[in-house]
Amino acid sequence: SCANRAIVYGSNGNPASTLFALTFPTLPPPLPNTANIRFLLSPINPADINVIEGVYPSKPVPCDLPGHPRAAQAPLYVGGNEGLAEVIETGEGVTELKTGDWVVMTKAQLGTWTSARNAHVQDLLKVPSDLGEAAAATITVNPPTAYNMLHDYVKLDKGDWIVQNGANSAVGQAVIQIAAARGWQTLNCIRNRDDAQSMKAQLRDLGATQVATYDELSDKGFKERVKSWTGGKSIKLGLNCVGGRVTTSMTRLLGQDAHLVSYGAMSKEPLSLPTSLFIFKNLTCHGFWQSRWYQEKSLQERKQLTEALFGLMREGKLRSPEHEVLVIE
Ligand code: NDP
């Protein structure tokens, strides 16, 4: 059959200059307890860029591209952490997977921007194939982050409020939908843009209760507008995707005893918070990292989380994020 292609790099740096495409031969038959897999879709997440730059705490696993001379000279890394693949051949002793099964990676940073690879079966998790490729390919990073941040910090009742920034991000879109499915209300903040109205409509269509731009957030009268939306009910949870001054303004909207959970730093700006929020409002701040969650939890808990997310998808309550499929020739 035809040769394989991978998007690889040998040293850290700007992805635009360090990444290159490489052709390697058909994989040899899989060793015992491993499987040869063919990738169907591999996402590009913001963290993948940081891994290539060398500024992300998780380091890539050097790849073994069988039969490629370049790989024998110095370690090469295949980009990508997340991906959906199909099992093409299993090695001796593999009972939990068979040819044709859909799988995602449970081990971080294996390298997924490749047409095929070999993997240990313990690093693969079987996923259902009835929800579409995009849903399955993006199941390990963004929806779990949204789900865990909504469930692990504050006990929310029906009608309770959450505020988030970066609301149009993939994580933000999942937050909106999971919250809506639970009957929780969301105040969603986005960057100003030419088509802010259509972006707002799009997010409301996903289940957002209210959407505002960061410009509106910094308006003097914004707190009063929020009060009119919430009926004075206090906001219990804030989710921070961007850091910087927009997060300072957002945190001021939180009520007594609220929790702020930071998971992204898209603005690359540090986060500064008024001390009074800690003293008088008893604010608690956390950092969430899905990789840490996976390290701390059992495989059973991981499977339950994935099942809960696929369940929401089957009920039509959680759609795949807006995406564009690129085919690399
Ligand atoms: P997406 O690529 O889907 O969205 C990126 C978001 O960031 C958009 O809302 C974009 O807004 C916004 N953004 C980009 N640049 C800036 C900027 N300079 N200032 C303000 N906002 C900006 O991202 P994901 O949903 O995949 O990830 C979002 C963040 O969450 C990333 O930082 C990612 O690393 C992090 N993350 C963290 C996890 C964890 O476990 N802690 C897990 C998953 C994701 P716009 O449309 O206006 O450009």
Side-chain angles (χ1 to χ4, degrees), residues 46 142 145 168-171 191 193 242 263 266 288-290:
N142 293 331
T145 298
N168 65 314
S169 68
V171 175
R191 278 208 278 195
R193 63 229 296 128
V242 299
Y263 69 98
M266 288 307 298
F288 178 81
W289 195 23
Q290 185 57 38

Side-chain angles (χ1 to χ4, degrees), residues 44-263:
I44 304 173
N45 286 314
D48 298 331
I49 306 303
N50 303 136
V51 171
I52 297 162
E53 290 169 336
V55 299
Y56 200 73
S58 307
K59 300 299 168 201
V61 180
C63 65
D64 173 27
L65 296 175
H68 199 277
R70 173 67 177 78
Q73 292 160 18
L76 271 184
Y77 306 94
V78 174
N81 169 53
E82 198 178 29
L84 170 69
E86 182 184 4
V87 174
I88 40 181
E89 194 179 352
T90 56
E92 224 179 273
V94 177
T95 52
E96 55 276 74
L97 291 177
K98 58 178 193 312
T99 303
D101 280 350
W102 279 18
V103 291
V104 295
M105 316 301 114
T106 56
K107 184 172 177 164
Q109 308 301 338
L110 271 185
T112 57
W113 297 347
T114 178
S115 53
R117 67 167 297 140
N118 175 261
H120 279 278
V121 270
Q122 82 235 26
D123 298 336
L124 301 173
L125 179 68
K126 187 176 167 178
V127 293
S129 56
D130 61 318
L131 292 161
E133 291 185 355
T138 56
I139 200 65
T140 54
V141 178
N142 293 331
T145 298
Y147 188 96
N148 290 325
M149 292 193 302
L150 286 170
H151 290 88
D152 291 357
Y153 296 93
V154 178
K155 194 194 164 298
L156 295 164
D157 297 314
K158 266 213 162 66
D160 276 347
W161 281 83
I162 298 144
V163 64
Q164 68 164 338
N165 57 30
N168 65 314
S169 68
V171 175
Q173 292 179 47
V175 164
I176 290 170
Q177 296 174 87
I178 297 166
R182 297 280 184 266
W184 302 330
Q185 313 207 65
T186 52
L187 168 50
N188 300 279
C189 307
I190 56 169
R191 278 208 278 195
N192 210 356
R193 63 229 296 128
D194 290 340
D195 63 342
Q197 287 313 319
S198 75
M199 173 65 75
K200 285 181 175 185
Q202 218 175 306
L203 297 184
R204 276 197 299 268
D205 183 50
L206 283 180
T209 320
Q210 295 291 347
V211 189
T213 64
Y214 303 142
D215 292 353
E216 293 173 79
L217 186 63
S218 61
D219 282 351
K220 270 265 171 284
F222 190 67
K223 237 180 155 167
E224 285 308 310
R225 260 173 81 200
V226 171
K227 252 192 196 151
S228 75
W229 290 335
T230 61
K233 204 167 179 177
S234 86
I235 303 178
K236 292 185 171 176
L237 178 66
L239 304 178
N240 167 28
C241 171
V242 299
R245 285 167 64 175
V246 299
T247 308
T248 310
S249 317
M250 183 183 85
T251 308
R252 287 182 200 274
L253 301 174
L254 293 174
Q256 195 71 31
D257 301 325
H259 292 247
L260 176 71
V261 184
S262 295
Y263 69 98

